[in-house]
Amino acid sequence: MEAIQMTNDKCQMRDGKSLSLFHLLDPEVLANPYPLYRRLRSEAPVHWDPYLHAWVVTRYADVVTVLHHFSANRTPTPEQFAAMGLPKLGPIAQMMTRQMLFMDAPAHTRLRGLASMAFTPARVEVLRSHIRAILDDLMAPLLRAGRMDVIGDLAAPLPAIVTAEMLGVPTSDCDRLKAWSADFAEVLGNFQHNPDRASRTLKCVEEMTVYFREAIRRLKAEPRAGLINSFMTAELDGDRLTEDEIIANCIVTMVGGQETTT
């Protein structure tokens, strides 16, 4: 029965009349997605997308309603992944349930309160000067060359280096962090229909977890300014973040810092 359902879903997605965001994987549609968006708004403004396995809401008023009245706590649980035939993805679900992005109050309020202590005005000012220095270093050879690829030479490396600096890990690790971020972001919402990508993301999550756990161990021995250390030392009314919460929210910060700026 599940195989039949998945086959039907795939047929629906390949059908030219389908409104699935699956079509954004087509380079021609991606180059001009606005006809698809117009159809979504006019024909199915609240649309169940079998590819994303989620509801897609496209009208402004409806989006505002969703943001104000519906729960953000929609992260698939390990049990839900098992029901979808993907029990191996349980560790991804377990990690995502610790990220403030997927929480409602009071859990979100608690985590946000502790995390906000990492973004003090003094820390932001330090980051500002570091970002300027990073930008100067990136621009120097480009100015000498008299030409540049805005994406390849600046927009891609800058957020990767800044993210490493912000986290408090070696900037020499920026390429590895960027690759992990791309793998993690690519599979979000696509677990059901991209098992190969999901497997790669599972490996990526395992590697990131080991990486940040080791970073925490090093910072306990030799503290260094950065988000990880700020998470480690944040305390509010005697409450502190657990190591797993620190790792999960370092990952979501890293991914958000790179995938939304490149």
Side-chain angles (χ1 to χ4, degrees), residues 80-149:
Q80 287 172 315
F81 274 134
M84 292 165 63
L86 298 169
K88 292 183 179 180
L89 297 184
I92 297 177
Q94 196 65 54
M95 183 268 294
M96 291 173 66
T97 59
R98 299 188 180 104
Q99 295 176 340
M100 70 178 80
L101 181 64
F102 303 104
M103 290 181 176
D104 289 326
H108 181 274
T109 306
R110 168 189 170 266
L111 203 57
R112 185 181 62 188
L114 286 164
S116 66
M117 302 179 72
F119 295 97
T120 63
R123 177 58 184 159
V124 171
E125 192 56 40
V126 169
L127 279 173
R128 190 194 309 276
S129 63
H130 284 183
I131 292 170
R132 286 175 178 155
I134 292 167
L135 184 57
D136 288 343
D137 288 343
L138 288 172
M139 288 299 299
L142 303 176
L143 291 172
R144 288 194 297 269
R147 59 181 298 176
M148 67 182 294
D149 178 329

Side-chain angles (χ1 to χ4, degrees), residues 202-238:
L202 179 60
K203 181 175 182 292
C204 157
V205 167
E206 292 170 349
E207 291 174 349
M208 288 190 293
T209 300
V210 170
Y211 177 87
F212 283 113
R213 208 175 292 283
E214 176 61 21
I216 291 171
R217 187 193 65 77
R218 288 197 310 270
L219 288 168
K220 284 180 179 178
E222 299 179 18
R224 172 185 173 181
L227 187 64
I228 300 174
N229 189 64
S230 296
F231 280 165
M232 290 168 58
T233 57
E235 184 174 346
L236 190 61
D237 298 329

